[in-house]
Amino acid sequence: MSLALVLPRCPACGRFGTLFQRLHVLLRENPHLFFGLAFVLLLLASCLIGALYPYDPVLARMQGHPPLQVPSLLFWLNTDPRFWLGTDHSGQSLLILLIKGTQAFFFPGILASLLALFGGISLGAFSGFYGGWIEQIGRYLSTLINSFPNLILVLLCTTVFGPNVYLIAAIVGITFVPHIAEEIRRKVAQLKAEEFVMAAEAHGLQERRILFLHIVWLHCLPLILRQLVFLWSALIILETSLNYLGRGVLQKGISWGKMLYDYRSGLFRGEIWSPLVVTLVVMLTMSGLYLFAEGLQRWSQGKGVLHQEQPLDS
Amino acid sequence: MREQPQTQPHPPPKPLLEVEQLKIHFRSRGRLVRAVDGVSFSVGSGEGIAVIGESGSGKTLSALATLALVGGEPGVVSGAIRYQDDTLQTNLLEGIEACFRQEQGTYKPTWKAEGWRSAYRERATALAGRKIGIIFQNPISSQDPLWSVGRTLSESIRLHNPKATRKEASQEAEHWLERVHIKNPAGVMRSYPHQLSGGMCQRVMIASTLAMHPRIIIADEPTTGLDMTTKAQVLYLLHEAREKYGSSLIFVTHEIGLISGLTERVVVMRRGHVVDQFATSDLLDVKMRGETLETSHEFAEHTQDLLRCSLALEERRARVL
Ligand SMILES: Nc1ncnc2c1ncn2[C@@H]1O[C@H](COP(=O)(O)OP(=O)(O)OP(=O)(O)O)[C@@H](O)[C@H]1O
Ligand SMILES: [Mg+2]
């Protein structure tokens, strides 16, 4: 039994196993995926918490203390977990701000993912499966999108249309269309020559069903997920750096980039703790997401040959 | 039809599938390959024919053309593939004459060819599975490696009977596995193709083909790579399919030893042509005496070569055993 968490159940014995067993197996077989998955779940939980509890300045502010820049050991031992990451210059808990800040990526991220998925999958699947002039058009579109420098496009748009995080998300989504399309196109072109596709056609399956259910959904899913992870990390980086640059995407509300922007002036006064924490969290998020992507890659490579056991002849 | 012998061995029943002057060409490294060059044969309802011939003679391609599965350029360029039963009558290659024009012995696609190909494919999809089922040579790679055998089977069953629920389909799938003499159907349903042996997988493929009740079964070298016992079992299944469900059979093979008992007629192909056709019973009294072939039937030259080789092989095998 291996990788039972991501494979629905063990085909050899037919059992699901307990959650603990499955996690244990996952940790052993694919630690990248294990830790990446844990990190992604943590991020999602933060988004959820942020969405469920509105920001409460009273709760977030430490009472009866002056704003604390660098928490000492004594401070860690004495106060409640809310302040374990310390506070910023105004005395707000960094932990709460960071958790609340993840929410800023959530809906833009979903918008970007949907755009990239829709464009990438349809472009990649059709040009890979049918080739010919459809592929030519797909290639042309991809080159067109790729030839625009990402950051400049975003800066241009925020200048023209005003700062809007959804606009940025849309641009990120569209810039990811060629990447997803190319990955899928390559995989589809490789798979359509396989015998099982011909056999499915010989059974009278609709072409669309073969293409989207068998080829794209079953065989390209890890690939698509991987690209989505890259998309999210690109979005987070872009949002953070844009806000830091002061091309304020968010005038109000809380986000990681906004936090960095707010702490910028303190940096020159030697108050490095809060920006350091935020930067470290961004870095950690990036590595967590890349870990997840790497795990997905390994999962997809191992998927075809898992469960190699004795032939099941009676 | 010019290569057909004058005396038909069996007066064939009304042909179910009729392939006429089929030509399939390819461009390969600038050269024109006439892979199939004017092949004609027909199968009656309930009839079994064997297609034999050396490697590369175009047997597989002719079979694939009946379901529009031939890839490559320019592909099928001329001929007719007619299917007719009580509910459906169609010529898959209808309108092909307008799509390719002849130019110095080669066929050039005209601008109509692209649209015609999708029409061809559409007509073939109506036949695929329900009317004509193909069993491929390599059973393991002809199933989706990421789907369990049970899901693949249920999919064909639901294709044949769209009203069946998921559960009904999987029950019926299990039932079909039993019918192809698999002893542990529940276990096989859950396993993936690469977990099964070749013979097991071939039985699953036969089950999924039979489950759609095709009028014609095309078996393209279904026994290659199987051991003698499994080979016999697969042949028995094909035989049973003819007996029980009255399907016609087109049995493509290299091995002349396998065709008696399974088919009534033999079509011999060579280099994209049909070079001989005769009744399977004509093979019964073929003997080798030294280097010469003794037979009452007048075979074409190429058939004699094939027979000689296969008999010599058999003799050698007999000496070894
Ligand atoms: N897409 C293609 N492009 C170019 N040539 C092709 C293509 N498909 C098949 N051919 C050629 O067509 C010829 C006939 O192939 P086919 O598979 O029908 O032979 P076969 O009689 O089934 O042989 P075997 O007994 O080895 O299976 C082969 O020589 C092959 O190289
Ligand atoms: Mg072949």
PDB file of all heavy atoms in Angstrom, chain B residues 246-265:
ATOM      1  N   GLY B 246     -23.618 -14.824 -32.188  1.00  0.00           N
ATOM      2  CA  GLY B 246     -23.772 -14.747 -33.633  1.00  0.00           C
ATOM      3  C   GLY B 246     -22.984 -13.631 -34.292  1.00  0.00           C
ATOM      4  O   GLY B 246     -23.363 -13.132 -35.343  1.00  0.00           O
ATOM      5  N   SER B 247     -21.882 -13.222 -33.651  1.00  0.00           N
ATOM      6  CA  SER B 247     -21.091 -12.143 -34.250  1.00  0.00           C
ATOM      7  C   SER B 247     -20.308 -12.667 -35.443  1.00  0.00           C
ATOM      8  O   SER B 247     -19.963 -13.837 -35.506  1.00  0.00           O
ATOM      9  CB  SER B 247     -20.088 -11.600 -33.235  1.00  0.00           C
ATOM     10  OG  SER B 247     -20.659 -11.507 -31.976  1.00  0.00           O
ATOM     11  N   SER B 248     -20.034 -11.769 -36.375  1.00  0.00           N
ATOM     12  CA  SER B 248     -19.071 -12.096 -37.425  1.00  0.00           C
ATOM     13  C   SER B 248     -17.686 -11.865 -36.870  1.00  0.00           C
ATOM     14  O   SER B 248     -17.510 -11.118 -35.915  1.00  0.00           O
ATOM     15  CB  SER B 248     -19.271 -11.196 -38.633  1.00  0.00           C
ATOM     16  OG  SER B 248     -20.625 -11.155 -38.986  1.00  0.00           O
ATOM     17  N   LEU B 249     -16.717 -12.499 -37.490  1.00  0.00           N
ATOM     18  CA  LEU B 249     -15.360 -12.361 -36.970  1.00  0.00           C
ATOM     19  C   LEU B 249     -14.386 -12.085 -38.107  1.00  0.00           C
ATOM     20  O   LEU B 249     -14.424 -12.749 -39.140  1.00  0.00           O
ATOM     21  CB  LEU B 249     -14.964 -13.649 -36.247  1.00  0.00           C
ATOM     22  CG  LEU B 249     -13.548 -13.706 -35.687  1.00  0.00           C
ATOM     23  CD1 LEU B 249     -13.405 -12.744 -34.533  1.00  0.00           C
ATOM     24  CD2 LEU B 249     -13.202 -15.115 -35.236  1.00  0.00           C
ATOM     25  N   ILE B 250     -13.560 -11.077 -37.911  1.00  0.00           N
ATOM     26  CA  ILE B 250     -12.431 -10.882 -38.818  1.00  0.00           C
ATOM     27  C   ILE B 250     -11.187 -11.133 -37.989  1.00  0.00           C
ATOM     28  O   ILE B 250     -10.890 -10.386 -37.063  1.00  0.00           O
ATOM     29  CB  ILE B 250     -12.406  -9.459 -39.407  1.00  0.00           C
ATOM     30  CG1 ILE B 250     -13.677  -9.200 -40.201  1.00  0.00           C
ATOM     31  CG2 ILE B 250     -11.183  -9.279 -40.300  1.00  0.00           C
ATOM     32  CD1 ILE B 250     -13.743  -7.812 -40.795  1.00  0.00           C
ATOM     33  N   PHE B 251     -10.509 -12.201 -38.289  1.00  0.00           N
ATOM     34  CA  PHE B 251      -9.410 -12.648 -37.456  1.00  0.00           C
ATOM     35  C   PHE B 251      -8.107 -12.404 -38.189  1.00  0.00           C
ATOM     36  O   PHE B 251      -7.819 -13.057 -39.181  1.00  0.00           O
ATOM     37  CB  PHE B 251      -9.627 -14.131 -37.137  1.00  0.00           C
ATOM     38  CG  PHE B 251      -8.606 -14.711 -36.212  1.00  0.00           C
ATOM     39  CD1 PHE B 251      -8.298 -14.090 -35.027  1.00  0.00           C
ATOM     40  CD2 PHE B 251      -7.969 -15.894 -36.529  1.00  0.00           C
ATOM     41  CE1 PHE B 251      -7.366 -14.629 -34.166  1.00  0.00           C
ATOM     42  CE2 PHE B 251      -7.034 -16.443 -35.672  1.00  0.00           C
ATOM     43  CZ  PHE B 251      -6.734 -15.809 -34.494  1.00  0.00           C
ATOM     44  N   VAL B 252      -7.362 -11.441 -37.720  1.00  0.00           N
ATOM     45  CA  VAL B 252      -6.103 -11.084 -38.368  1.00  0.00           C
ATOM     46  C   VAL B 252      -4.970 -11.807 -37.659  1.00  0.00           C
ATOM     47  O   VAL B 252      -4.853 -11.724 -36.443  1.00  0.00           O
ATOM     48  CB  VAL B 252      -5.862  -9.562 -38.290  1.00  0.00           C
ATOM     49  CG1 VAL B 252      -4.534  -9.198 -38.922  1.00  0.00           C
ATOM     50  CG2 VAL B 252      -6.986  -8.811 -38.956  1.00  0.00           C
ATOM     51  N   THR B 253      -4.171 -12.519 -38.410  1.00  0.00           N
ATOM     52  CA  THR B 253      -3.106 -13.285 -37.744  1.00  0.00           C
ATOM     53  C   THR B 253      -1.963 -13.606 -38.690  1.00  0.00           C
ATOM     54  O   THR B 253      -2.072 -13.492 -39.913  1.00  0.00           O
ATOM     55  CB  THR B 253      -3.670 -14.592 -37.152  1.00  0.00           C
ATOM     56  OG1 THR B 253      -2.638 -15.254 -36.442  1.00  0.00           O
ATOM     57  CG2 THR B 253      -4.188 -15.497 -38.244  1.00  0.00           C
ATOM     58  N   HIS B 254      -0.841 -13.988 -38.116  1.00  0.00           N
ATOM     59  CA  HIS B 254       0.255 -14.549 -38.905  1.00  0.00           C
ATOM     60  C   HIS B 254       0.190 -16.058 -38.912  1.00  0.00           C
ATOM     61  O   HIS B 254       0.794 -16.700 -39.741  1.00  0.00           O
ATOM     62  CB  HIS B 254       1.619 -14.236 -38.274  1.00  0.00           C
ATOM     63  CG  HIS B 254       1.980 -12.806 -38.236  1.00  0.00           C
ATOM     64  ND1 HIS B 254       2.368 -12.128 -39.345  1.00  0.00           N
ATOM     65  CD2 HIS B 254       2.012 -11.931 -37.226  1.00  0.00           C
ATOM     66  CE1 HIS B 254       2.637 -10.887 -39.018  1.00  0.00           C
ATOM     67  NE2 HIS B 254       2.429 -10.738 -37.735  1.00  0.00           N
ATOM     68  N   GLU B 255      -0.471 -16.588 -37.877  1.00  0.00           N
ATOM     69  CA  GLU B 255      -0.313 -18.009 -37.620  1.00  0.00           C
ATOM     70  C   GLU B 255      -1.428 -18.816 -38.280  1.00  0.00           C
ATOM     71  O   GLU B 255      -2.562 -18.805 -37.829  1.00  0.00           O
ATOM     72  CB  GLU B 255      -0.303 -18.256 -36.114  1.00  0.00           C
ATOM     73  CG  GLU B 255       0.916 -17.641 -35.473  1.00  0.00           C
ATOM     74  CD  GLU B 255       0.834 -17.674 -33.974  1.00  0.00           C
ATOM     75  OE1 GLU B 255       1.233 -18.694 -33.395  1.00  0.00           O
ATOM     76  OE2 GLU B 255       0.364 -16.696 -33.389  1.00  0.00           O
ATOM     77  N   ILE B 256      -1.076 -19.495 -39.356  1.00  0.00           N
ATOM     78  CA  ILE B 256      -2.077 -20.232 -40.122  1.00  0.00           C
ATOM     79  C   ILE B 256      -2.663 -21.358 -39.285  1.00  0.00           C
ATOM     80  O   ILE B 256      -3.820 -21.726 -39.434  1.00  0.00           O
ATOM     81  CB  ILE B 256      -1.438 -20.763 -41.422  1.00  0.00           C
ATOM     82  CG1 ILE B 256      -0.954 -19.569 -42.245  1.00  0.00           C
ATOM     83  CG2 ILE B 256      -2.425 -21.584 -42.217  1.00  0.00           C
ATOM     84  CD1 ILE B 256      -0.274 -19.934 -43.506  1.00  0.00           C
ATOM     85  N   GLY B 257      -1.859 -21.858 -38.353  1.00  0.00           N
ATOM     86  CA  GLY B 257      -2.324 -22.963 -37.533  1.00  0.00           C
ATOM     87  C   GLY B 257      -3.533 -22.637 -36.680  1.00  0.00           C
ATOM     88  O   GLY B 257      -4.237 -23.530 -36.221  1.00  0.00           O
ATOM     89  N   LEU B 258      -3.793 -21.337 -36.456  1.00  0.00           N
ATOM     90  CA  LEU B 258      -4.858 -20.986 -35.529  1.00  0.00           C
ATOM     91  C   LEU B 258      -6.220 -20.846 -36.188  1.00  0.00           C
ATOM     92  O   LEU B 258      -7.237 -20.790 -35.503  1.00  0.00           O
ATOM     93  CB  LEU B 258      -4.530 -19.657 -34.836  1.00  0.00           C
ATOM     94  CG  LEU B 258      -3.237 -19.592 -34.021  1.00  0.00           C
ATOM     95  CD1 LEU B 258      -3.083 -18.213 -33.416  1.00  0.00           C
ATOM     96  CD2 LEU B 258      -3.257 -20.634 -32.932  1.00  0.00           C
ATOM     97  N   ILE B 259      -6.256 -20.765 -37.543  1.00  0.00           N
ATOM     98  CA  ILE B 259      -7.489 -20.283 -38.140  1.00  0.00           C
ATOM     99  C   ILE B 259      -8.533 -21.359 -38.383  1.00  0.00           C
ATOM    100  O   ILE B 259      -9.699 -21.054 -38.505  1.00  0.00           O
ATOM    101  CB  ILE B 259      -7.209 -19.531 -39.454  1.00  0.00           C
ATOM    102  CG1 ILE B 259      -6.526 -20.442 -40.453  1.00  0.00           C
ATOM    103  CG2 ILE B 259      -6.409 -18.307 -39.194  1.00  0.00           C
ATOM    104  CD1 ILE B 259      -6.120 -19.723 -41.701  1.00  0.00           C
ATOM    105  N   SER B 260      -8.104 -22.614 -38.420  1.00  0.00           N
ATOM    106  CA  SER B 260      -9.119 -23.627 -38.700  1.00  0.00           C
ATOM    107  C   SER B 260     -10.029 -23.764 -37.488  1.00  0.00           C
ATOM    108  O   SER B 260      -9.602 -23.647 -36.353  1.00  0.00           O
ATOM    109  CB  SER B 260      -8.446 -24.963 -39.000  1.00  0.00           C
ATOM    110  OG  SER B 260      -7.642 -25.310 -37.907  1.00  0.00           O
ATOM    111  N   GLY B 261     -11.307 -23.968 -37.736  1.00  0.00           N
ATOM    112  CA  GLY B 261     -12.246 -24.067 -36.637  1.00  0.00           C
ATOM    113  C   GLY B 261     -12.810 -22.735 -36.210  1.00  0.00           C
ATOM    114  O   GLY B 261     -13.888 -22.662 -35.642  1.00  0.00           O
ATOM    115  N   LEU B 262     -12.083 -21.665 -36.480  1.00  0.00           N
ATOM    116  CA  LEU B 262     -12.545 -20.349 -36.055  1.00  0.00           C
ATOM    117  C   LEU B 262     -13.158 -19.570 -37.207  1.00  0.00           C
ATOM    118  O   LEU B 262     -14.023 -18.721 -37.010  1.00  0.00           O
ATOM    119  CB  LEU B 262     -11.355 -19.578 -35.484  1.00  0.00           C
ATOM    120  CG  LEU B 262     -11.652 -18.457 -34.515  1.00  0.00           C
ATOM    121  CD1 LEU B 262     -12.447 -18.976 -33.338  1.00  0.00           C
ATOM    122  CD2 LEU B 262     -10.363 -17.835 -34.044  1.00  0.00           C
ATOM    123  N   THR B 263     -12.698 -19.862 -38.433  1.00  0.00           N
ATOM    124  CA  THR B 263     -13.163 -19.068 -39.574  1.00  0.00           C
ATOM    125  C   THR B 263     -13.539 -19.992 -40.721  1.00  0.00           C
ATOM    126  O   THR B 263     -13.136 -21.150 -40.767  1.00  0.00           O
ATOM    127  CB  THR B 263     -12.045 -18.128 -40.061  1.00  0.00           C
ATOM    128  OG1 THR B 263     -10.925 -18.926 -40.425  1.00  0.00           O
ATOM    129  CG2 THR B 263     -11.649 -17.167 -38.979  1.00  0.00           C
ATOM    130  N   GLU B 264     -14.318 -19.442 -41.649  1.00  0.00           N
ATOM    131  CA  GLU B 264     -14.722 -20.246 -42.805  1.00  0.00           C
ATOM    132  C   GLU B 264     -13.955 -19.879 -44.062  1.00  0.00           C
ATOM    133  O   GLU B 264     -13.928 -20.629 -45.027  1.00  0.00           O
ATOM    134  CB  GLU B 264     -16.211 -20.049 -43.100  1.00  0.00           C
ATOM    135  CG  GLU B 264     -17.130 -20.765 -42.150  1.00  0.00           C
ATOM    136  CD  GLU B 264     -17.654 -19.831 -41.086  1.00  0.00           C
ATOM    137  OE1 GLU B 264     -18.085 -18.730 -41.462  1.00  0.00           O
ATOM    138  OE2 GLU B 264     -17.600 -20.174 -39.907  1.00  0.00           O
ATOM    139  N   ARG B 265     -13.398 -18.672 -44.047  1.00  0.00           N
ATOM    140  CA  ARG B 265     -12.793 -18.196 -45.275  1.00  0.00           C
ATOM    141  C   ARG B 265     -11.468 -17.536 -44.943  1.00  0.00           C
ATOM    142  O   ARG B 265     -11.292 -16.988 -43.859  1.00  0.00           O
ATOM    143  CB  ARG B 265     -13.724 -17.185 -45.954  1.00  0.00           C
ATOM    144  CG  ARG B 265     -13.679 -17.140 -47.449  1.00  0.00           C
ATOM    145  CD  ARG B 265     -15.062 -16.801 -48.012  1.00  0.00           C
ATOM    146  NE  ARG B 265     -15.662 -15.674 -47.324  1.00  0.00           N
ATOM    147  CZ  ARG B 265     -15.337 -14.405 -47.578  1.00  0.00           C
ATOM    148  NH1 ARG B 265     -14.433 -14.108 -48.484  1.00  0.00           N
ATOM    149  NH2 ARG B 265     -15.933 -13.427 -46.938  1.00  0.00           N
TER     150      ARG B 265
END
